[in-house]
């Protein structure tokens, strides 16, 4: 078996080291080694977006990233979205807008929305739908998700104006 | 829109934040695959690479010898089930078939059929060990569709299947092995005379593909078989009690030795009722002495769970000159998958259920084919049937130059209408949903532009009642802990808590609901059949009323009077002398007034009245590629009383989009060898958010008299109309009437090219 | 997943040495969006993955008067956001915005898409249409191959064991050149192309006559196909639908699609014509400096 190695990375602002086999995906490391199970596995091959995390600010499906590739990067996961005990605008909008039913896809959608709003704070409905197309939801029909993203964008814009 | 004067509610009809919401937007909610136990092993399964084969050799010794492997199981490790049928909550199940579906016995009946499982120190070792299992097959020819499988010369899957309801000369056999598992037959009136009198008759044949529920969370089970013989199962399931019973029956241990702990569930839609993994993980745990987690990967989910049947349907409808249906005839053959049990019964009952038809006949067959055993999927059987009936009705409307909403209103089933399968409707809202669409801004708006068309269709689902239990404990701070057995897939903790709060006149936020394990609550049937808000809601109302009664007694002690002098009104108790205590004030005194108050409620006698939805869709068809874009979508549904309108809308929107997927692109794609070639979310094409517009939901409220607040189940109906509505829209856009699902671009293009010739 | 080792060299020479193993045992890892999936499902079983993302030459992205240099490991998101690529190599942007979802684009590279050599790869027709050349380095030195000659069959290409695709080089487009890639998929996103077409068109100074054109077809043969005769038929002709229609039969002639779950042979051949006309319309609009009517998936 290939030797395990120590990987040093930053997760949600904290320096983290973990021991990792080369064949372990970042998703597996997060869930099974670091016990950060907020990131979900829906398909294991990059087609559902449930395992979306931000790597150096860019959204990636963590099932298609090796744990060893996390060396020296900055990761952000669903566990790092809230500011302490205060939800951020995206979480708040999903919560208030009933933008989840079973909730399994929600962490992925929230991370993907964070990525969208970071690069495009005022997306159109079409831009939202295009950007979120890599995230599958089977419960909501997407209506309330898209509205929640719109609402989060508006709230953030409002916060900026203050 | 409300059709009757609604009582004024304080909680019902509001939109509180769901109780489990924060956990679900922060990643804290624990789903089945999120549990981590000390010493836990990981398991992987061997699955069949063939659609139909005899297992001639199976040797697990090399797998067992791999370092890190702790246990290996095959069907030989499980107790024999004999020939027995067991009542499992939603009908009786042949245990031999259920067991063989969990782990194949001597034969594999579909691609992906589970054969063996390994538990090891890591998932990678378990997967490596699976590859070391030596197995040989004698490959048999597969049969993949109902009509082929019904032919006498077809390969037969199960040697023990005979045709239930066999009639001489018909398909199947009463005494020889056959794929035809059952025949359903309903008739009312005089169909011959009906068609003879008809001014217009349209008859069409339909084929629909196998489709999957497509929940995002794969099946999972984590099991500890403890040294005391007690088995604990942590899993995501639609029904803890049926999971408990299935697991116990498959292991042949007493049901009370199994405790099922419900984890959060990542979607089900009917597909997480049948048990696949817990008995296997349990046996691995027993052999290894360690807790074992077994999680399917996406390929396994698509290969071996669900799906809902592919089908063949023939429908013939006759009307008089005014468009009134006077005769209807239907023949349905549904693929059961490997073992009997397709939703052919509901399909037959639903096909004419939206209309008042004096002369009707329905004949249906449940047929085994080499595909995974079908399971419930949102109004199981009804969507296939609605696709056929609702497109035929549109063709008739066109011939008679009738507005499609008008022909539906003309024939709408209403209170007192007798369905072809016998029952008479109580108060229902079929016509109201059609009127809601007819009067909607969407239907009233023009649809300009070439290759665009609008279509409508109606759908029906029975909705079930079944049994639920709720326990409520009153805390001294005036808040209530509410325990329930209904697993929460889409916000039912809140819809149940709201009914409880409404009954007691307290804020919804003061009710803290928990979904608890099978040792901690009374028997509760599955979260399915659109029953939870209805039936567990009734149990919660009963529990609230129980608390009310107890509080009246406590207040009487407080006021040193008799209970008959005390009334529970508007969130508090009032004495005949005018004194009043609020719910909170009284709760604070409980320990001085006799101790804890625990309310209990159950349900089980109430039957739902059925629910209808009518959808309207605008499409644009690309005339050069055959691809359909959904431009606008409106869905109206009779919800009785909407408890939490956001989640009612959510059910309607989600169901509509699942129906859109079924209509346009979803299908299991089997090759000639019977192998499923699209067992990924890349090629099993569920809609993304870039494929659909906003879905406007119109909530119609015709209260169901069998529920204290008039609730009707909401979840299932909205998947029924979309394929037919979209087919009707396509016909209006480009003039081709589609009769197969999915209506994928190449199929529409082929029809467009035929039309040009 | 099967066991393998992982190394992340920081120089080209180290990488070439690491890759100099018998075929298939060492695999370069760029974005991994295909590779990791293939290892997981057992289609590939390498002993070692050589992460090439830390090698400077493979991260190059430079546009200048002599053209575009695109390192093989540069991810789609970076390419699509690059201003010069957006202005002059637009077909690449079209491709990079529809490979997988946004998450995949953060990782997947055009170089990796080429090396994976899938017949339906979304970026290869663009690379071919834009006249891309593949710079390949191995123990024997460096060589260049035209993009249309790179793939040799499904999953196969000209790379010999130990060789690595380092960079793609594109000539600077002539004035009044526009390019476009579009594909047909059943959904609007997240699908494999049933047919994909990349085109590049140059107009004369009047913006009316086509003076140069390249057309590449995807998903209609074992490799992406350069449709030379179809492109030739456009040259010297007015940029009109009538002209484009003349190219259609010539493009269909070189298409040799198969029947599979993503489409039938007949349907694919039909789509070649539809997509060719639409992609030429869009490329010509861009050559004229106009914004074409294009919405991915529609």
């Amino acid at each position: 078996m290939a030797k395990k190695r120590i990987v040093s990375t930053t997760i949600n602002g904290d320096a983290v080291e973990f021991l990792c086999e080369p064949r372990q995906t970042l998703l597996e490391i997060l869930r099974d080694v670091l016990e950060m199970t907020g990131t979900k596995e829906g398909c294991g091959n990059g087609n559902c977006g449930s395992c979306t995390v931000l790597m150096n600010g860019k959204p990636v499906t963590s099932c298609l990233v090796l744990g060893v590739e996390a060396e020296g990067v900055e990761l952000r996961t669903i566990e790092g979205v809230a500011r302490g005990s205060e939800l951020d605008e995206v979480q708040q909008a999903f919560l208030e807008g009933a933008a989840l039913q079973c909730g399994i896809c929600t962490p992925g959608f929230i991370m993907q929305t964070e990525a969208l709003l970071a690069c495009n704070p005022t997306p159109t409905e079409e831009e939202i739908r295009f950007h979120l197309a890599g995230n599958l939801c089977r419960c909501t029909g997407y209506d309330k998700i898209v509205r929640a993203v719109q609402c989060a964008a508006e709230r953030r814009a409002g916060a900026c104006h203050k | 829109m409300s059709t009757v004067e609604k009582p004024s509610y304080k909680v019902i009809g509001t939109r509180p934040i769901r109780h489990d919401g924060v956990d679900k937007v922060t990643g804290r909610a624990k789903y089945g695959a999120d549990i981590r136990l000390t010493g836990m092993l990981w398991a992987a399964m061997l699955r069949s690479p063939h659609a139909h084969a005899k297992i001639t050799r199976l040797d697990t010794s090399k797998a067992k010898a791999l370092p890190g492997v702790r246990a290996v199981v095959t069907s030989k490790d499980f107790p024999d089930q004999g020939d027995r049928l067991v009542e499992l909550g939603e009908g009786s199940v042949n245990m031999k078939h259920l067991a063989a579906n969990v782990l194949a016995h001597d034969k594999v009946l579909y691609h992906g059929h589970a054969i063996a499982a390994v538990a090891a120190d890591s998932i990678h070792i378990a997967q490596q060990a699976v590859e070391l299992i030596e197995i040989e097959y004698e490959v048999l020819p597969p049969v993949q569709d109902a009509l082929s499988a019904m032919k006498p010369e077809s390969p037969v899957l199960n040697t023990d299947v005979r045709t239930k309801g066999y009639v001489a000369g018909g398909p199947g056999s009463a005494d020889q092995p056959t794929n035809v598992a059952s025949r359903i037959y309903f008739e009312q009136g005089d169909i011959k005379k009906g068609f003879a009198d008809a001014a217009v008759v349209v008859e069409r044949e339909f084929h629909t593909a196998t489709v999957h529920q497509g929940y995002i969370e794969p099946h999972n089970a984590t099991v500890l078989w403890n040294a005391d013989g007690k088995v604990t199962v942590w899993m995501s399931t639609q029904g803890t009690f049926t999971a408990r019973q299935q697991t116990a029956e498959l292991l042949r241990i007493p049901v009370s030795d199994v405790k099922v702990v419900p984890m959060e569930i990542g979607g089900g839609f009917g597909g997480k009722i049948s048990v696949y993994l817990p008995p296997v993980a349990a046996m691995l745990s027993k052999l290894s002495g360690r807790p074992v987690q077994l999680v399917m990967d996406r390929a396994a989910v698509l290969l071996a769970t669900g799906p809902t049947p592919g089908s063949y349907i023939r429908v013939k409808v006759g009307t008089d000159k005014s468009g009134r249906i006077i005769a209807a005839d239907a023949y349905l053959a549904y693929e059961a998958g490997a073992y009997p049990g397709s939703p052919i019964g509901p399909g037959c009952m639903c096909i004419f259920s939206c209309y008042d038809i004096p002369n009707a006949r329905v004949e249906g067959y449940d047929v085994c084919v080499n595909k995974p055993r079908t399971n419930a999927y949102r109004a199981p059987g009804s969507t296939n049937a609605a696709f056929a009936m609702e497109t035929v009705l549109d063709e008739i409307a066109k011939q008679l130059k009738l507005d499609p909403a008008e022909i539906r209103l003309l024939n709408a089933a209403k209170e007192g209408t007798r369905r072809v399968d016998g029952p008479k409707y109580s108060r229902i809202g079929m016509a109201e949903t059609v009127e809601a669409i007819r009067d909607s801004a969407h239907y009233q708006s023009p649809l300009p532009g070439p290759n665009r068309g609008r279509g409508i269709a109606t759908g029906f689902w029975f909705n079930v009642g079944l049994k639920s239990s709720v326990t409520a404990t009153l805390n001294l701070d005036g808040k209530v802990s509410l325990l329930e057995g209904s697993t929460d897939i889409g916000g039912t903790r809140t819809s149940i808590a709201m009914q409880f709060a409404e009954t007691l006149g307290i804020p919804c936020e003061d009710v803290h609901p928990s979904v608890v394990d099978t040792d901690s609550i009374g028997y509760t049937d599955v979260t399915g059949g659109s029953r939870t808000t209805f039936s567990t809601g009734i149990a919660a109302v009963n529990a609230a009323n129980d608390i009310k009664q107890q509080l009246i007694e406590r207040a009487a002690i407080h006021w040193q009077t008799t209970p008959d002098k005390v009334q529970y009104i508007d969130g508090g108790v009032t004495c005949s002398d005018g004194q009043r205590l609020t719910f909170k004030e009284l709760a604070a005194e409980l320990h001085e007034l006799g101790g804890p108050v625990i309310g209990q409620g159950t349900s089980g006698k109430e039957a739902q009245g059925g629910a209808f939805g009518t959808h309207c869709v605008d499409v644009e068809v690309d005339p050069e590629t055959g691809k359909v874009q959904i431009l606008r979508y409106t869905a109206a549904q009779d919800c009785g009383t909407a408890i939490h309108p956001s989640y009612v809308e959510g059910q309607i929107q989600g169901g509509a989009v699942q129906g859109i997927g079924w209509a346009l692109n979803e299908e299991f794609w089997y090759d000639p060898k019977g192998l499923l070639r699209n067992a990924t979310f890349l090629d099993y094409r569920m809609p993304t958010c870039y494929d659909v517009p906003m879905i406007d939901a119109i909530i119609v409220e015709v209260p169901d008299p069998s529920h204290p607040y008039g609730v009707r189940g909401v979840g299932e109906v909205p998947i029924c109309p979309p394929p037919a509505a979209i087919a009707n829209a396509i016909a209006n856009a480009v003039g081709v009437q589609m009769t197969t699902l999915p209506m994928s671009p190449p199929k529409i293009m082929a029809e467009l090219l035929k039309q040009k010739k | 997943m099967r066991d393998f080792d992982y190394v992340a060299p920081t120089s080209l020479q180290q990488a070439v040495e690491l890759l100099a193993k018998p075929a298939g045992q060492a695999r370069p890892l760029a974005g991994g969006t295909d590779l990791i999936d293939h290892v997981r499902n057992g289609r590939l079983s390498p002993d070692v993955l050589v992460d090439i993302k830390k090698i400077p030459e493979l991260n190059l992205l430079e546009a200048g008067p002599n053209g575009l240099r695109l390192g093989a490991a540069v991810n789609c998101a970076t390419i699509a956001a690059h201003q010069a690529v957006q202005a002059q190599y637009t077909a690449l942007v079209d491709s990079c915005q529809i490979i997988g979802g946004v998450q995949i684009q953060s990782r997947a590279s055009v170089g990796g898409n080429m090396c994976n050599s899938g017949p339906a790869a979304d970026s290869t027709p663009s690379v071919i249409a834009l006249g891309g050349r593949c710079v390949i380095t191995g123990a024997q030195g460096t060589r260049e191959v035209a993009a249309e000659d790179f793939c040799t069959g499904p999953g196969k290409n000209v790379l010999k064991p130990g060789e690595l695709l380092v960079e793609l080089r594109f000539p600077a487009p002539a004035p009044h050149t526009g390019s476009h890639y579009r594909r047909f998929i059943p959904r609007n996103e997240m699908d494999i192309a049933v047919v994909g077409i990349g085109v590049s068109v140059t107009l004369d100074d009047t913006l009316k006559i086509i003076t140069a054109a390249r057309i590449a077809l995807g998903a209609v043969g074992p490799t992406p196909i350069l449709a030379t005769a179809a492109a030739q038929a456009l040259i010297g002709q007015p940029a009109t639908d009538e002209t484009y229609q003349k190219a259609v039969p010539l493009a269909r002639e070189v298409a040799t699609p198969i029947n599979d779950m993503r489409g039938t042979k007949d349907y694919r051949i039909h789509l070649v014509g539809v997509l060719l006309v639409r992609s030429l319309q869009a490329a010509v609009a861009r050559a004229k400096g106009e914004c074409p009517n294009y919405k991915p998936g529609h």
Side-chain angles (χ1 to χ4, degrees), chain B residues 68-144:
Chain B
V69 169
R70 306 289 172 171
V72 181
V73 295
T74 69
S75 61
K76 303 252 178 324
D77 295 291
F78 287 79
D80 182 43
Q81 293 294 332
D83 283 319
R84 62 194 190 110
L85 296 174
V86 173
E87 181 56 43
L88 288 175
E90 276 202 315
S92 59
V93 171
N94 178 319
M95 288 308 297
K96 200 159 100 184
H97 292 162
L98 185 64
N101 194 48
V102 167
L103 283 176
H105 293 156
D106 50 343
K107 244 180 126 185
V108 287
L109 297 180
Y110 53 94
H111 181 204
H113 198 157
I115 296 165
V118 179
D121 292 347
S122 85
I123 185 67
H124 302 284
I125 297 171
Q127 287 166 349
Q128 197 184 339
V130 164
E131 290 180 17
L132 294 175
I133 295 173
E134 293 174 9
I135 185 160
E136 285 166 21
Y137 303 92
E138 179 193 334
V139 178
L140 303 169
V143 59
Q144 299 259 274

Side-chain angles (χ1 to χ4, degrees), chain B residues 124 127 131 622 624-625 627 629 665 669 677-678 681-683 685-686 688 690-691 745-746 749, chain C residues 1-2 184-192 260-262 267 270-271 274 278 295-298:
Chain B
H124 302 284
Q127 287 166 349
E131 290 180 17
D622 185 330
E624 293 183 320
T625 66
K627 183 167 173 173
Q629 297 289 349
N665 280 310
W669 206 89
R677 300 301 296 275
N678 63 336
F681 274 154
L682 183 62
D683 286 317
R685 301 186 182 98
M686 310 197 311
T688 76
Y690 190 54
D691 294 315
M749 196 64 233
Chain C
M1 210 182 314
R2 288 183 194 200
F184 180 82
I185 53 172
R187 285 188 288 192
N188 291 340
E189 252 293 323
M190 298 300 287
D191 253 327
I192 303 285
D260 69 8
M261 63 181 166
R262 293 176 185 136
Y267 186 55
H270 169 80
L271 287 175
V274 176
R278 291 180 185 184
K295 194 168 147 187
H298 290 69

Side-chain angles (χ1 to χ4, degrees), chain B residues 339-474:
Chain B
Y339 303 100
S342 80
I344 185 66
C348 291
M349 291 184 249
C350 289
I351 191 156
F352 298 137
S353 57
C354 294
Y355 304 105
D356 185 355
I357 306 176
N359 309 297
R361 180 176 68 178
V362 184
E363 182 179 5
Y365 292 94
D366 181 34
V367 187
C368 295
V369 298
N370 292 107
K371 293 183 180 178
R373 190 197 57 172
T374 55
N375 269 293
Y377 177 27
R378 216 164 192 156
S382 186
T383 303
N384 315 43
F387 175 56
M389 177 60 186
E390 291 292 302
T391 53
V392 165
L393 194 61
D394 248 48
E395 276 202 65
I396 292 174
K398 271 199 199 96
Q399 287 193 23
L400 290 170
K401 298 193 167 51
L402 281 174
D403 178 273
E406 292 310 323
I407 197 168
R408 285 172 173 81
L409 283 173
L410 183 66
N411 291 289
K414 50 195 167 296
E415 188 169 1
T417 299
R418 183 179 288 285
R419 273 204 324 255
V420 62
D421 54 308
K424 266 190 188 177
Y425 285 119
S426 57
R427 179 76 175 97
I428 51 170
M430 153 68 190
E432 286 82 349
T433 68
V434 181
E435 286 163 357
I437 284 297
R438 182 196 60 192
D439 301 340
S440 67
H442 180 177
Y443 198 71
Q444 297 293 331
S445 69
L447 178 59
N451 305 308
R452 292 179 169 192
R454 176 169 294 159
I456 69 166
T458 298
F460 161 80
W461 186 246
F462 314 89
N463 297 341
V464 298
L466 303 178
K467 298 170 285 296
S468 288
S469 305
V470 161
T471 312
T473 304
L474 182 47

Side-chain angles (χ1 to χ4, degrees), chain B residues 662-684:
Chain B
W662 195 338
L664 294 181
N665 280 310
E666 290 181 34
E667 64 182 314
F668 272 16
W669 206 89
Y670 286 93
D671 70 11
K673 289 179 175 168
L675 305 183
L676 183 65
R677 300 301 296 275
N678 63 336
T680 68
F681 274 154
L682 183 62
D683 286 317
Y684 184 80

Side-chain angles (χ1 to χ4, degrees), chain B residues 26-93:
Chain B
T26 54
R28 290 201 186 98
K30 292 287 180 200
Y31 292 77
D34 296 339
I35 187 164
R36 302 284 174 269
L37 300 172
T38 307
M40 191 175 87
L41 301 175
W42 309 82
M45 296 189 89
L46 173 68
R47 294 181 178 277
S48 170
H50 303 295
H52 194 189
K54 273 186 196 150
I55 299 171
T56 54
R57 190 171 88 90
L58 179 57
D59 181 350
T60 61
S61 52
K62 283 188 182 153
K64 277 180 183 152
L66 185 73
V69 169
R70 306 289 172 171
V72 181
V73 295
T74 69
S75 61
K76 303 252 178 324
D77 295 291
F78 287 79
D80 182 43
Q81 293 294 332
D83 283 319
R84 62 194 190 110
L85 296 174
V86 173
E87 181 56 43
L88 288 175
E90 276 202 315
S92 59
V93 171

Side-chain angles (χ1 to χ4, degrees), chain C residues 191-213:
Chain C
D191 253 327
I192 303 285
V194 179
V195 175
I197 296 192
V199 299
S200 172
V201 180
T202 305
L203 302 180
D204 69 355
D205 287 341
T206 69
L207 304 180
K208 290 199 172 120
I209 304 296
I210 297 171
T211 58

Side-chain angles (χ1 to χ4, degrees), chain B residues 188-210:
Chain B
Q188 73 179 359
D190 183 345
I191 179 170
K192 249 189 187 165
K193 184 174 182 312
F195 279 114
D197 293 347
V200 179
V201 175
V202 171
E203 181 173 12
R204 293 282 176 266
E205 286 182 290
F206 299 86
H207 295 269
T208 74
T210 305

